[in-house]
C-alpha cells in the first residue's frame, strides 16, 4: 500500500460512516432538513463509490462497510441530528484534506479537493441550521 491508497481507504471509510450517519438522521428530521438529508446521503453514496473505484484503480482493495458505527453525537431530536451531520461532514473533510496532501496523481488530488469542497458546503448548511456563526470555516478539514 502507498500513502495515496491509505488515504483513499480512509476517505472511503469516512464516506461509509457518513452514509450510516445520514441514515440515522432520517428518523429525526422533517421538512427542508429531511430533503437535505436525502440529497446529502445520495451525494455521500456516489462519492464513496467513486473513491472505492479510485482505490481499486490505484492498486488497493475496495473497502466494505463496517458492521457498525458509533456516532460522535447522541441523536435524539432535530437539533442533535444537525450536530451529528456536522460532525460527520467535519470527519469526512479531514479525510479529504489528508487525501489531497497525500495524493500522488492529479486526478486523485482533484477528487480530494472536490470531496473537501462538497463537505465544506454541507457543513456550512448544518452550521447555519444549528445557528452556528460563522457558518463557514477558513480551512475545512483542518484539525
Amino acid at each position: 500500500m502507498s500513502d495515496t491508497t491509505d488515504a483513499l481507504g480512509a476517505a472511503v471509510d469516512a464516506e461509509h460512516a457518513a452514509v450510516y450517519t445520514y441514515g440515522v438522521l432520517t428518523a429525526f428530521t422533517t421538512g427542508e432538513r429531511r430533503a437535505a438529508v436525502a440529497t446529502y446521503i445520495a451525494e455521500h453514496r456516489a462519492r464513496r463509490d467513486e473513491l472505492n473505484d479510485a482505490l481499486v484503480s490505484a492498486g488497493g482493495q475496495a473497502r466494505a462497510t463496517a458492521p457498525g458505527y458509533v456516532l460522535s453525537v447522541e441523536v435524539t431530536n432535530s437539533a442533535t441530528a444537525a450536530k451529528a451531520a456536522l460532525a460527520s461532514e467535519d470527519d469526512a473533510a479531514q479525510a479529504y484534506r489528508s487525501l489531497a496532501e497525500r495524493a500522488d496523481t492529479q486526478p486523485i488530488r482533484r477528487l480530494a479537493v472536490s470531496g473537501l469542497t462538497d463537505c465544506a458546503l454541507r457543513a456550512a448548511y448544518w452550521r447555519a441550521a444549528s445557528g452556528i456563526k460563522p457558518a463557514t470555516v477558513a480551512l475545512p478539514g483542518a484539525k
Side-chain angles (χ1 to χ4, degrees):
M1 298 295 274
S2 69
D3 278 350
T4 297
T5 56
D6 290 346
L8 277 165
V12 172
D13 293 343
E15 288 292 3
H16 278 305
V19 169
Y20 176 85
T21 299
Y22 277 98
V24 170
L25 303 185
T26 60
F28 296 93
T29 55
T30 59
E32 177 192 330
R33 287 189 187 179
R34 179 77 176 246
V37 167
T39 298
Y40 296 163
I41 196 170
E43 290 174 2
H44 280 291
R45 284 182 179 133
R47 187 69 70 172
R48 174 202 62 201
D49 295 345
E50 185 177 16
L51 286 166
N52 248 336
D53 290 345
L55 177 58
V56 170
S57 293
Q61 288 193 329
R63 303 290 275 257
T65 303
Y69 296 90
V70 176
L71 301 183
S72 60
V73 175
E74 182 181 0
V75 181
T76 58
N77 56 37
S78 180
T80 56
K83 289 179 183 177
L86 176 56
S88 181
E89 294 299 346
D90 286 343
D91 290 346
Q94 288 175 15
Y96 280 113
R97 184 178 175 103
S98 177
L99 178 58
E101 293 168 350
R102 298 164 66 189
D104 59 5
T105 67
Q106 191 66 21
I108 292 179
R109 193 169 294 108
R110 271 192 228 107
L111 180 61
V113 171
S114 178
L116 179 59
T117 301
D118 289 346
C119 288
L121 292 170
R122 288 186 297 260
Y125 172 85
W126 291 115
R127 281 190 197 91
S130 298
I132 298 170
K133 294 182 181 179
T136 59
V137 296
L139 299 170
K143 289 184 181 182

